[in-house]
mmCIF file with all atom_site columns, all heavy atoms in Angstrom:
data_model
loop_
_atom_site.group_PDB
_atom_site.id
_atom_site.type_symbol
_atom_site.label_atom_id
_atom_site.label_alt_id
_atom_site.label_comp_id
_atom_site.label_asym_id
_atom_site.label_entity_id
_atom_site.label_seq_id
_atom_site.pdbx_PDB_ins_code
_atom_site.Cartn_x
_atom_site.Cartn_y
_atom_site.Cartn_z
_atom_site.occupancy
_atom_site.B_iso_or_equiv
_atom_site.pdbx_formal_charge
_atom_site.auth_seq_id
_atom_site.auth_comp_id
_atom_site.auth_asym_id
_atom_site.auth_atom_id
_atom_site.pdbx_PDB_model_num
ATOM 1   N N   . PRO A 1 244 ? 7.087  19.230 9.265   1.00 0.00 ? 718 PRO A N   1
ATOM 2   C CA  . PRO A 1 244 ? 8.088  18.636 8.326   1.00 0.00 ? 718 PRO A CA  1
ATOM 3   C C   . PRO A 1 244 ? 8.993  19.740 7.738   1.00 0.00 ? 718 PRO A C   1
ATOM 4   O O   . PRO A 1 244 ? 8.505  20.830 7.397   1.00 0.00 ? 718 PRO A O   1
ATOM 5   C CB  . PRO A 1 244 ? 7.157  18.076 7.238   1.00 0.00 ? 718 PRO A CB  1
ATOM 6   C CG  . PRO A 1 244 ? 6.023  18.938 7.238   1.00 0.00 ? 718 PRO A CG  1
ATOM 7   C CD  . PRO A 1 244 ? 5.726  19.440 8.672   1.00 0.00 ? 718 PRO A CD  1
ATOM 8   N N   . VAL A 1 245 ? 10.263 19.465 7.725   1.00 0.00 ? 719 VAL A N   1
ATOM 9   C CA  . VAL A 1 245 ? 11.268 20.359 7.303   1.00 0.00 ? 719 VAL A CA  1
ATOM 10  C C   . VAL A 1 245 ? 12.039 19.681 6.203   1.00 0.00 ? 719 VAL A C   1
ATOM 11  O O   . VAL A 1 245 ? 12.927 18.783 6.405   1.00 0.00 ? 719 VAL A O   1
ATOM 12  C CB  . VAL A 1 245 ? 12.205 20.862 8.421   1.00 0.00 ? 719 VAL A CB  1
ATOM 13  C CG1 . VAL A 1 245 ? 13.275 21.763 7.840   1.00 0.00 ? 719 VAL A CG1 1
ATOM 14  C CG2 . VAL A 1 245 ? 11.392 21.453 9.528   1.00 0.00 ? 719 VAL A CG2 1
ATOM 15  N N   . PRO A 1 246 ? 11.858 20.109 4.837   1.00 0.00 ? 720 PRO A N   1
ATOM 16  C CA  . PRO A 1 246 ? 12.704 19.501 3.799   1.00 0.00 ? 720 PRO A CA  1
ATOM 17  C C   . PRO A 1 246 ? 14.104 19.995 3.808   1.00 0.00 ? 720 PRO A C   1
ATOM 18  O O   . PRO A 1 246 ? 14.275 21.183 4.283   1.00 0.00 ? 720 PRO A O   1
ATOM 19  C CB  . PRO A 1 246 ? 11.882 19.839 2.516   1.00 0.00 ? 720 PRO A CB  1
ATOM 20  C CG  . PRO A 1 246 ? 11.133 21.114 2.977   1.00 0.00 ? 720 PRO A CG  1
ATOM 21  C CD  . PRO A 1 246 ? 10.821 20.987 4.399   1.00 0.00 ? 720 PRO A CD  1
ATOM 22  N N   . HIS A 1 247 ? 14.953 19.273 3.227   1.00 0.00 ? 721 HIS A N   1
ATOM 23  C CA  . HIS A 1 247 ? 16.396 19.687 3.240   1.00 0.00 ? 721 HIS A CA  1
ATOM 24  C C   . HIS A 1 247 ? 17.037 19.061 2.021   1.00 0.00 ? 721 HIS A C   1
ATOM 25  O O   . HIS A 1 247 ? 16.461 18.153 1.325   1.00 0.00 ? 721 HIS A O   1
ATOM 26  C CB  . HIS A 1 247 ? 17.092 19.308 4.543   1.00 0.00 ? 721 HIS A CB  1
ATOM 27  C CG  . HIS A 1 247 ? 17.234 17.824 4.744   1.00 0.00 ? 721 HIS A CG  1
ATOM 28  N ND1 . HIS A 1 247 ? 18.182 17.025 4.269   1.00 0.00 ? 721 HIS A ND1 1
ATOM 29  C CD2 . HIS A 1 247 ? 16.290 16.948 5.387   1.00 0.00 ? 721 HIS A CD2 1
ATOM 30  C CE1 . HIS A 1 247 ? 18.035 15.748 4.633   1.00 0.00 ? 721 HIS A CE1 1
ATOM 31  N NE2 . HIS A 1 247 ? 16.811 15.703 5.232   1.00 0.00 ? 721 HIS A NE2 1
ATOM 32  N N   . GLY A 1 248 ? 18.278 19.477 1.806   1.00 0.00 ? 722 GLY A N   1
ATOM 33  C CA  . GLY A 1 248 ? 19.052 18.823 0.656   1.00 0.00 ? 722 GLY A CA  1
ATOM 34  C C   . GLY A 1 248 ? 18.563 19.268 -0.668  1.00 0.00 ? 722 GLY A C   1
ATOM 35  O O   . GLY A 1 248 ? 18.136 20.358 -0.891  1.00 0.00 ? 722 GLY A O   1
ATOM 36  N N   . ASN A 1 249 ? 18.646 18.360 -1.685  1.00 0.00 ? 723 ASN A N   1
ATOM 37  C CA  . ASN A 1 249 ? 18.319 18.689 -2.989  1.00 0.00 ? 723 ASN A CA  1
ATOM 38  C C   . ASN A 1 249 ? 16.881 18.722 -3.240  1.00 0.00 ? 723 ASN A C   1
ATOM 39  O O   . ASN A 1 249 ? 16.405 19.074 -4.318  1.00 0.00 ? 723 ASN A O   1
ATOM 40  C CB  . ASN A 1 249 ? 18.952 17.716 -3.979  1.00 0.00 ? 723 ASN A CB  1
ATOM 41  C CG  . ASN A 1 249 ? 18.722 16.184 -3.559  1.00 0.00 ? 723 ASN A CG  1
ATOM 42  O OD1 . ASN A 1 249 ? 18.025 15.987 -2.645  1.00 0.00 ? 723 ASN A OD1 1
ATOM 43  N ND2 . ASN A 1 249 ? 19.343 15.327 -4.198  1.00 0.00 ? 723 ASN A ND2 1
ATOM 44  N N   . LEU A 1 250 ? 16.039 18.505 -2.213  1.00 0.00 ? 724 LEU A N   1
ATOM 45  C CA  . LEU A 1 250 ? 14.542 18.840 -2.282  1.00 0.00 ? 724 LEU A CA  1
ATOM 46  C C   . LEU A 1 250 ? 14.341 20.342 -2.374  1.00 0.00 ? 724 LEU A C   1
ATOM 47  O O   . LEU A 1 250 ? 13.251 20.819 -2.796  1.00 0.00 ? 724 LEU A O   1
ATOM 48  C CB  . LEU A 1 250 ? 13.836 18.314 -1.062  1.00 0.00 ? 724 LEU A CB  1
ATOM 49  C CG  . LEU A 1 250 ? 13.492 16.832 -1.059  1.00 0.00 ? 724 LEU A CG  1
ATOM 50  C CD1 . LEU A 1 250 ? 12.740 16.481 0.174   1.00 0.00 ? 724 LEU A CD1 1
ATOM 51  C CD2 . LEU A 1 250 ? 12.721 16.405 -2.314  1.00 0.00 ? 724 LEU A CD2 1
ATOM 52  N N   . LEU A 1 251 ? 15.311 21.169 -1.990  1.00 0.00 ? 725 LEU A N   1
ATOM 53  C CA  . LEU A 1 251 ? 15.114 22.639 -1.986  1.00 0.00 ? 725 LEU A CA  1
ATOM 54  C C   . LEU A 1 251 ? 15.555 23.234 -3.272  1.00 0.00 ? 725 LEU A C   1
ATOM 55  O O   . LEU A 1 251 ? 15.479 24.472 -3.469  1.00 0.00 ? 725 LEU A O   1
ATOM 56  C CB  . LEU A 1 251 ? 15.908 23.264 -0.809  1.00 0.00 ? 725 LEU A CB  1
ATOM 57  C CG  . LEU A 1 251 ? 15.591 22.730 0.603   1.00 0.00 ? 725 LEU A CG  1
ATOM 58  C CD1 . LEU A 1 251 ? 16.497 23.427 1.583   1.00 0.00 ? 725 LEU A CD1 1
ATOM 59  C CD2 . LEU A 1 251 ? 14.139 23.044 0.871   1.00 0.00 ? 725 LEU A CD2 1
ATOM 60  N N   . LEU A 1 252 ? 16.259 22.470 -4.270  1.00 0.00 ? 726 LEU A N   1
ATOM 61  C CA  . LEU A 1 252 ? 16.789 23.047 -5.398  1.00 0.00 ? 726 LEU A CA  1
ATOM 62  C C   . LEU A 1 252 ? 15.755 23.586 -6.349  1.00 0.00 ? 726 LEU A C   1
ATOM 63  O O   . LEU A 1 252 ? 15.986 24.668 -7.075  1.00 0.00 ? 726 LEU A O   1
ATOM 64  C CB  . LEU A 1 252 ? 17.665 22.026 -6.149  1.00 0.00 ? 726 LEU A CB  1
ATOM 65  C CG  . LEU A 1 252 ? 19.000 21.775 -5.529  1.00 0.00 ? 726 LEU A CG  1
ATOM 66  C CD1 . LEU A 1 252 ? 19.729 20.717 -6.302  1.00 0.00 ? 726 LEU A CD1 1
ATOM 67  C CD2 . LEU A 1 252 ? 19.879 23.083 -5.430  1.00 0.00 ? 726 LEU A CD2 1
ATOM 68  N N   . ALA A 1 253 ? 14.644 23.023 -6.465  1.00 0.00 ? 727 ALA A N   1
ATOM 69  C CA  . ALA A 1 253 ? 13.543 23.499 -7.382  1.00 0.00 ? 727 ALA A CA  1
ATOM 70  C C   . ALA A 1 253 ? 13.056 24.908 -6.818  1.00 0.00 ? 727 ALA A C   1
ATOM 71  O O   . ALA A 1 253 ? 12.884 25.875 -7.612  1.00 0.00 ? 727 ALA A O   1
ATOM 72  C CB  . ALA A 1 253 ? 12.385 22.530 -7.428  1.00 0.00 ? 727 ALA A CB  1
ATOM 73  N N   . ALA A 1 254 ? 12.842 25.057 -5.584  1.00 0.00 ? 728 ALA A N   1
ATOM 74  C CA  . ALA A 1 254 ? 12.394 26.323 -4.987  1.00 0.00 ? 728 ALA A CA  1
ATOM 75  C C   . ALA A 1 254 ? 13.486 27.376 -5.090  1.00 0.00 ? 728 ALA A C   1
ATOM 76  O O   . ALA A 1 254 ? 13.283 28.509 -5.375  1.00 0.00 ? 728 ALA A O   1
ATOM 77  C CB  . ALA A 1 254 ? 11.960 26.167 -3.514  1.00 0.00 ? 728 ALA A CB  1
ATOM 78  N N   . PHE A 1 255 ? 14.770 26.920 -4.952  1.00 0.00 ? 729 PHE A N   1
ATOM 79  C CA  . PHE A 1 255 ? 15.855 27.810 -5.055  1.00 0.00 ? 729 PHE A CA  1
ATOM 80  C C   . PHE A 1 255 ? 16.038 28.319 -6.493  1.00 0.00 ? 729 PHE A C   1
ATOM 81  O O   . PHE A 1 255 ? 16.211 29.563 -6.708  1.00 0.00 ? 729 PHE A O   1
ATOM 82  C CB  . PHE A 1 255 ? 17.194 27.075 -4.639  1.00 0.00 ? 729 PHE A CB  1
ATOM 83  C CG  . PHE A 1 255 ? 18.388 27.962 -4.793  1.00 0.00 ? 729 PHE A CG  1
ATOM 84  C CD1 . PHE A 1 255 ? 18.781 28.843 -3.912  1.00 0.00 ? 729 PHE A CD1 1
ATOM 85  C CD2 . PHE A 1 255 ? 19.213 27.700 -5.941  1.00 0.00 ? 729 PHE A CD2 1
ATOM 86  C CE1 . PHE A 1 255 ? 19.873 29.643 -4.123  1.00 0.00 ? 729 PHE A CE1 1
ATOM 87  C CE2 . PHE A 1 255 ? 20.376 28.439 -6.069  1.00 0.00 ? 729 PHE A CE2 1
ATOM 88  C CZ  . PHE A 1 255 ? 20.765 29.470 -5.148  1.00 0.00 ? 729 PHE A CZ  1
ATOM 89  N N   . GLY A 1 256 ? 15.854 27.458 -7.479  1.00 0.00 ? 730 GLY A N   1
ATOM 90  C CA  . GLY A 1 256 ? 15.939 27.916 -8.911  1.00 0.00 ? 730 GLY A CA  1
ATOM 91  C C   . GLY A 1 256 ? 14.823 28.841 -9.207  1.00 0.00 ? 730 GLY A C   1
ATOM 92  O O   . GLY A 1 256 ? 15.059 29.805 -9.997  1.00 0.00 ? 730 GLY A O   1
ATOM 93  N N   . ALA A 1 257 ? 13.653 28.584 -8.758  1.00 0.00 ? 731 ALA A N   1
ATOM 94  C CA  . ALA A 1 257 ? 12.514 29.496 -9.051  1.00 0.00 ? 731 ALA A CA  1
ATOM 95  C C   . ALA A 1 257 ? 12.743 30.812 -8.430  1.00 0.00 ? 731 ALA A C   1
ATOM 96  O O   . ALA A 1 257 ? 12.458 31.883 -9.081  1.00 0.00 ? 731 ALA A O   1
ATOM 97  C CB  . ALA A 1 257 ? 11.197 28.860 -8.589  1.00 0.00 ? 731 ALA A CB  1
ATOM 98  N N   . ALA A 1 258 ? 13.120 30.883 -7.191  1.00 0.00 ? 732 ALA A N   1
ATOM 99  C CA  . ALA A 1 258 ? 13.296 32.157 -6.560  1.00 0.00 ? 732 ALA A CA  1
ATOM 100 C C   . ALA A 1 258 ? 14.397 33.048 -7.181  1.00 0.00 ? 732 ALA A C   1
ATOM 101 O O   . ALA A 1 258 ? 14.231 34.260 -7.395  1.00 0.00 ? 732 ALA A O   1
ATOM 102 C CB  . ALA A 1 258 ? 13.600 31.941 -5.008  1.00 0.00 ? 732 ALA A CB  1
ATOM 103 N N   . VAL A 1 259 ? 15.559 32.345 -7.427  1.00 0.00 ? 733 VAL A N   1
ATOM 104 C CA  . VAL A 1 259 ? 16.642 33.152 -8.006  1.00 0.00 ? 733 VAL A CA  1
ATOM 105 C C   . VAL A 1 259 ? 16.277 33.621 -9.412  1.00 0.00 ? 733 VAL A C   1
ATOM 106 O O   . VAL A 1 259 ? 16.519 34.823 -9.831  1.00 0.00 ? 733 VAL A O   1
ATOM 107 C CB  . VAL A 1 259 ? 17.891 32.248 -8.047  1.00 0.00 ? 733 VAL A CB  1
ATOM 108 C CG1 . VAL A 1 259 ? 19.012 32.915 -8.863  1.00 0.00 ? 733 VAL A CG1 1
ATOM 109 C CG2 . VAL A 1 259 ? 18.380 31.895 -6.636  1.00 0.00 ? 733 VAL A CG2 1
ATOM 110 N N   . THR A 1 260 ? 15.708 32.761 -10.244 1.00 0.00 ? 734 THR A N   1
ATOM 111 C CA  . THR A 1 260 ? 15.352 33.168 -11.586 1.00 0.00 ? 734 THR A CA  1
ATOM 112 C C   . THR A 1 260 ? 14.324 34.364 -11.555 1.00 0.00 ? 734 THR A C   1
ATOM 113 O O   . THR A 1 260 ? 14.468 35.279 -12.301 1.00 0.00 ? 734 THR A O   1
ATOM 114 C CB  . THR A 1 260 ? 14.736 31.946 -12.309 1.00 0.00 ? 734 THR A CB  1
ATOM 115 O OG1 . THR A 1 260 ? 15.789 30.917 -12.347 1.00 0.00 ? 734 THR A OG1 1
ATOM 116 C CG2 . THR A 1 260 ? 14.463 32.348 -13.774 1.00 0.00 ? 734 THR A CG2 1
ATOM 117 N N   . TYR A 1 261 ? 13.310 34.211 -10.805 1.00 0.00 ? 735 TYR A N   1
ATOM 118 C CA  . TYR A 1 261 ? 12.217 35.282 -10.655 1.00 0.00 ? 735 TYR A CA  1
ATOM 119 C C   . TYR A 1 261 ? 12.832 36.548 -10.222 1.00 0.00 ? 735 TYR A C   1
ATOM 120 O O   . TYR A 1 261 ? 12.519 37.634 -10.733 1.00 0.00 ? 735 TYR A O   1
ATOM 121 C CB  . TYR A 1 261 ? 11.043 34.760 -9.829  1.00 0.00 ? 735 TYR A CB  1
ATOM 122 C CG  . TYR A 1 261 ? 9.865  35.514 -10.041 1.00 0.00 ? 735 TYR A CG  1
ATOM 123 C CD1 . TYR A 1 261 ? 8.891  35.018 -10.922 1.00 0.00 ? 735 TYR A CD1 1
ATOM 124 C CD2 . TYR A 1 261 ? 9.534  36.745 -9.379  1.00 0.00 ? 735 TYR A CD2 1
ATOM 125 C CE1 . TYR A 1 261 ? 7.684  35.750 -11.123 1.00 0.00 ? 735 TYR A CE1 1
ATOM 126 C CE2 . TYR A 1 261 ? 8.356  37.373 -9.611  1.00 0.00 ? 735 TYR A CE2 1
ATOM 127 C CZ  . TYR A 1 261 ? 7.496  36.922 -10.529 1.00 0.00 ? 735 TYR A CZ  1
ATOM 128 O OH  . TYR A 1 261 ? 6.261  37.579 -10.728 1.00 0.00 ? 735 TYR A OH  1
ATOM 129 N N   . THR A 1 262 ? 13.753 36.424 -9.269  1.00 0.00 ? 736 THR A N   1
ATOM 130 C CA  . THR A 1 262 ? 14.353 37.734 -8.753  1.00 0.00 ? 736 THR A CA  1
ATOM 131 C C   . THR A 1 262 ? 15.253 38.386 -9.917  1.00 0.00 ? 736 THR A C   1
ATOM 132 O O   . THR A 1 262 ? 15.305 39.557 -10.019 1.00 0.00 ? 736 THR A O   1
ATOM 133 C CB  . THR A 1 262 ? 15.184 37.403 -7.478  1.00 0.00 ? 736 THR A CB  1
ATOM 134 O OG1 . THR A 1 262 ? 14.394 36.789 -6.598  1.00 0.00 ? 736 THR A OG1 1
ATOM 135 C CG2 . THR A 1 262 ? 15.797 38.665 -6.926  1.00 0.00 ? 736 THR A CG2 1
ATOM 136 N N   . LEU A 1 263 ? 15.959 37.499 -10.517 1.00 0.00 ? 737 LEU A N   1
ATOM 137 C CA  . LEU A 1 263 ? 16.753 38.135 -11.658 1.00 0.00 ? 737 LEU A CA  1
ATOM 138 C C   . LEU A 1 263 ? 15.900 38.738 -12.732 1.00 0.00 ? 737 LEU A C   1
ATOM 139 O O   . LEU A 1 263 ? 16.213 39.788 -13.309 1.00 0.00 ? 737 LEU A O   1
ATOM 140 C CB  . LEU A 1 263 ? 17.659 37.021 -12.285 1.00 0.00 ? 737 LEU A CB  1
ATOM 141 C CG  . LEU A 1 263 ? 18.812 36.499 -11.305 1.00 0.00 ? 737 LEU A CG  1
ATOM 142 C CD1 . LEU A 1 263 ? 19.530 35.354 -12.090 1.00 0.00 ? 737 LEU A CD1 1
ATOM 143 C CD2 . LEU A 1 263 ? 19.757 37.656 -11.033 1.00 0.00 ? 737 LEU A CD2 1
#
Side-chain angles (χ1 to χ4, degrees):
V719 179
H721 63 87
N723 48 9
L724 281 180
L725 304 176
L726 284 177
F729 176 78
V733 171
T734 303
Y735 200 92
T736 303
L737 290 177

